[in-house]
Amino acid sequence: LAAKEHMISGAPLTRLEALVLFGVSNLPELVYEMRQQGMMMKSRKVSYAAAMVRINKHANLTPPPNLPIREIMLTEYWVAS
């Protein structure tokens, strides 16, 4: 419910953030359900680094030193206003 409310507020959410911050293991399923409920969902690609910056405002996420965080892309979703 918290992840859904987060996206309804217009804030973006990646699968990584959904898992770490809200305990949602399958974000695409939640997005699918929200679309079925008639919500207009938007998406775009962002880097792992961008998602990590947002996560680190609320939790402490430290990736392995050899992980190419600027090259790994994640999809973020939000509800269009």
Side-chain angles (χ1 to χ4, degrees):
L1 182 62
K4 184 176 179 178
E5 290 175 356
H6 180 83
M7 288 187 290
I8 289 173
S9 75
L13 190 65
T14 64
R15 199 171 200 169
L16 181 64
E17 293 167 300
L19 183 59
V20 172
L21 300 176
F22 300 110
V24 174
S25 61
N26 193 356
L27 181 60
E29 182 179 335
L30 177 59
V31 170
Y32 174 78
E33 290 172 5
M34 292 172 72
R35 284 184 173 137
Q36 293 298 104
Q37 294 170 1
M39 295 181 202
M40 178 62 86
M41 302 299 297
K42 296 285 187 171
S43 66
R44 70 175 170 206
K45 298 284 187 183
V46 294
S47 69
Y48 185 109
M52 195 175 71
V53 166
R54 292 197 306 237
I55 289 172
N56 282 332
K57 291 178 184 175
H58 307 285
N60 186 17
L61 176 66
T62 306
N66 59 347
L67 189 68
I69 61 173
R70 291 183 187 2
E71 297 166 18
I72 297 172
M73 301 303 284
L74 304 170
T75 303
E76 68 179 6
Y77 302 92
W78 69 95
V79 175
S81 54

